[in-house]
Structure formats: structure tokens, C-alpha cells
Amino acid sequence: MSARIRPALLALALGLPSASTLTAAPACGAAGTPAAQSADRLLQALIKVSGVPGMGAALWQDGRVVWTGCAGWRDREAQQPVQADTVFRLASVSKVYTATLAARQAEQGRLDLDAPVQTLLPWLAGRWAPLSVRQLAAHASGLGHYTAADQALGQRHFADGRAAVRWFIERPLLAAPGTRYTYSSWGYTLIGAVLEAQGAAPFVEQLQRELGVAVQADPAGVGESVSRLYAIDGGAPTRLPGNDMSYTMPGGGLAATPAAVAKFGGRLLAGALVSPATWAAMREPYRLADGTPAGERDYQVGLGWRVGQDLDGAAIAHHAGITAGARSAVVLWPEQATAVSLLSNAIWVSSIERSAMLLAAPFRPTPAGVSARACPQTAQTYAGRLGDTPISSRVHFRLEAGRCLGVLDPDPTLAGAFAKATAWPGRQLEIVGLHADGDLGRAALVTPYGLYELRADAQGWQARLASTELRLTFGR
């Protein structure tokens, strides 16, 4: 990544449309394409198996939101369903909005991403070693994450970013800036304070005005179209009281509809928020002092965005979030001009990025090498392996409007793979074919952790559950 995103790149940037010119998202449940019908079926199955009260999702492609999916309740007690205009908490998906605003201001020459924040915020003089917005965005600043001392922060309000930074200003760095990846939402609170100082306006107002995005400060579960907040640990959903997210507004305190999040991703892909060159630079992993890229697990981190590959090797940029009353994800395929969002109204043990990617699968090209396989409607049992352990139990398939659907009773070994599920009401797994053509060559395995792709091959069917391979065959 270059030392600084240059103002000259602004020449490539596109103008921002007004709110009135943005294409409206299709209504949930409206008659749609076969791909939309498949995604709807997957989302409904995910709600059923996971026990999450409500979810919404959306997909952007070809310059517009082409699908909006809704499942479950935005208000379970009042029996109000999730709708296209339902607003969910974004949790840490808020971070990519913050990073994009910083990149735009840098592109315009209004912000130096590599300048010590102490020079941008004079009131920080003498605090910490010099650290930059670029390091904060890549979680390489040395700042720590939340601690036990922060548990009650949702009970107080912070007027602005500077007030929130004062909360942790006395805490020492965990490492020298630029030397170690240490995830820190506090780092984004500090970026927000920088943006407010440089832009001379409140953070959310800058997002709305400069990026033209339909996003708002988290409404704490209050409002006509706002999803309520739930916990599902231990069984039936429990309503949570609202909490004030002003302490972490740039790192986890935003809210939006699923369509607005997908549209944000799509407009970023289209060059409408920053130039294509700036967007490419944002996806370049930050290099630590020893030359290794910042990141963890299967992704690296650039300017806010996590970058990696999907199961078929396609490049993706993504982020996920978790907080009380929310689990969220946004995934972008830069080379395929596709963006998908998935938002929910409870914390749950989930593979939410994988789930979002599978919701997008019906809209994307079929990967090479996928084998066609007829729906095994006569099958009554399954057998196979989870890792090195044999598994077997009962299964039932049916065709519904041409789609192959299955219900699988997990044996003790397979059930054990989901032992940490936050909720699992029916104690069954479902299988949903991705296409309504009677084929089960490519399907979703619906679990309390989320959606996993199930593919046919010469030996039967295969899925990757985290780091463990699942293999299945079906018979009488």
C-alpha cells in the first residue's frame, strides 16, 4: 500500500447521488428470479434451525440491489415481521464505513493516514507513542480492546468521539505501534475522533453527507422500523434492554437496513465512494514491522477491510460484527461486482460470513467441477465421516416446487460438532438445494452455526465445517 492515498486519485472518483436517486430495494417476499427464490428459501431455513428471532439480507449486483430477504420477527412479542425497511445493529460492520470515510478524506487531501494522530488531535499530546489512522484501521496501533472495566459503558452517553476517547486515554499500549496485530474497537473510536476534528462535523453526519449512505446512529432497539434486541442463549429468545453505543460509534455503533449495507458495498465496488485505485489500496494488507501482514485466521487486514478468498479462490473483502442483540456480515467480490449483507437481531454462535456467501451463491456463476446429482428422494439413512469419525443416522428428502429439501437427524458425533450452538430448537439439520431443478449437486447444509456448502463429488457429498471435513452418502 502506498505511504499515502494521493489527492490526485480523486479525479477518478464518481459523484455521489442524492438519497432520492438511489434505487429502491425490492420488497421482501416479492415474486423474484429463481436465484432470489433460492436465497429466500435458505434464509427461512437458517431462521428455523438457528433459533434467531429475525434476519434480513440483501444482494447488490449489476448496479442495484437485486434481492432483499426477510425472515422471522423484528419484534417477536408484537408479532411484527422483519421487512425490507427493518433497521438492524451493524456492530463491527460499522468499521468498514469508518475506514471508507477516512479513505475518501485522504483521497481529497483532507486527511493524512500516516500522520501521528497526536498531531491531528493536539489534546492527545504526550499520550502513547506516535500512531496513525492507517495503523488504527488495521488493528496494528497497539491499542487494546474492551476490558471488564467497560461492561457498563452502554449505560452512559458520550457527546462525541473526544469524550469517548477520554474513557480509555490512560490505558497503556499493548505493543509498539506497527509491530503486532491486536484487534481493537477502541482504535476505531479514536479514528472517529480524528474524523470529527478534521471534518468539523459529527461522525454520523459526515458519513451521511460525504458518502451518501443510509446509515444512522444505533437506535438501541427503539423505533417503528427498528428491530428489537434479543438473546437466545438457553432456549427461547429473551428481549434485551437497549444500550447506548455512543462509546463505540465508529467501531460498532451504526445501524442500517440490509439493503442499505449491500448498496454501500456495491457503490464502493462501482467507484462511487472512492476511486478504483483508492479502493484497491484499501485492500492491500497492512505490513507489520517484521514484514508480515496484519490479520488472523484466514484473512489479512488492509484499511479496515478484511481480505481473503472464498472456497473457490475468488477474492473477497469482508467484515463481520457481534454485539448484544446483533450478528452481522458484509461480503464483497471485487472481481465479480457483487456485494451481500446478512444482519440478525441476536448474538449467536455463527459462521456468518460463510452464511452470507452462501446466500449469494444462487446469483453467482456455478464453480467449475460441480457434479450434478438427482435428489435422493428414496433415501432413509445417511452414512459418512466427520473428520476421521464414522457417522450415520436417518435422513428424509422431498421435492418441493422442484427444489430438493432434506431433514437430517444428527448422530451424537455430528451433533457434537454444534455443541456450542447458542440455540438449536429442533435439534435437526436441513439440506436445501440451491436450484429448483431437482438437482442436489450443490446445496446448503443448514446448521445452528449457519450455512455450509454441500457439494456432490464422486464419493458422495462433501462439506467443510470450520477446519473439519464432513462426508455423506445417502441410502435406504
Side-chain angles (χ1 to χ4, degrees), residues 97-278:
Y97 283 82
T98 302
T100 303
L101 178 60
R104 182 177 175 85
Q105 292 190 3
E107 186 176 75
Q108 296 175 340
R110 299 159 53 202
L111 176 65
D112 186 342
L113 297 176
D114 297 299
V117 295
Q118 291 89 339
T119 65
L120 304 174
L121 301 174
W123 48 270
L124 273 184
R127 304 288 183 179
W128 306 311
L131 51 90
S132 68
V133 169
R134 193 186 304 281
Q135 291 169 336
L136 291 165
H139 304 284
S141 69
L143 277 176
H145 194 46
Y146 306 132
T147 69
D150 304 323
Q151 289 182 354
L153 282 182
Q155 306 307 310
R156 59 182 297 176
H157 181 74
F158 293 89
D160 54 23
R162 179 174 180 174
V165 171
R166 290 290 184 188
W167 176 262
F168 60 89
I169 198 170
E170 301 293 340
R171 299 180 187 180
L173 299 181
L174 302 180
T179 64
R180 196 172 90 192
Y181 176 86
T182 305
Y183 187 84
S184 173
S185 287
W186 285 133
Y188 276 77
T189 297
L190 184 50
I191 294 175
V194 170
L195 293 171
E196 287 183 334
Q198 298 298 103
F203 169 70
V204 175
E205 180 183 317
Q206 289 186 55
L207 284 175
Q208 295 168 340
R209 184 183 68 240
E210 297 190 32
L211 298 183
V213 291
V215 70
Q216 61 182 279
D218 186 285
V222 177
E224 179 62 30
S225 62
V226 175
S227 177
R228 306 309 182 236
L229 313 174
Y230 293 94
I232 59 172
D233 193 13
T238 303
R239 180 87 166 262
L240 294 175
N243 58 315
D244 190 316
M245 302 293 286
S246 58
Y247 66 94
T248 186
M249 190 70 67
L254 300 177
T257 67
V261 176
K263 187 180 297 180
F264 159 71
R267 294 178 64 223
L268 185 55
L269 291 172
L273 301 184
V274 296
S275 72
T278 295

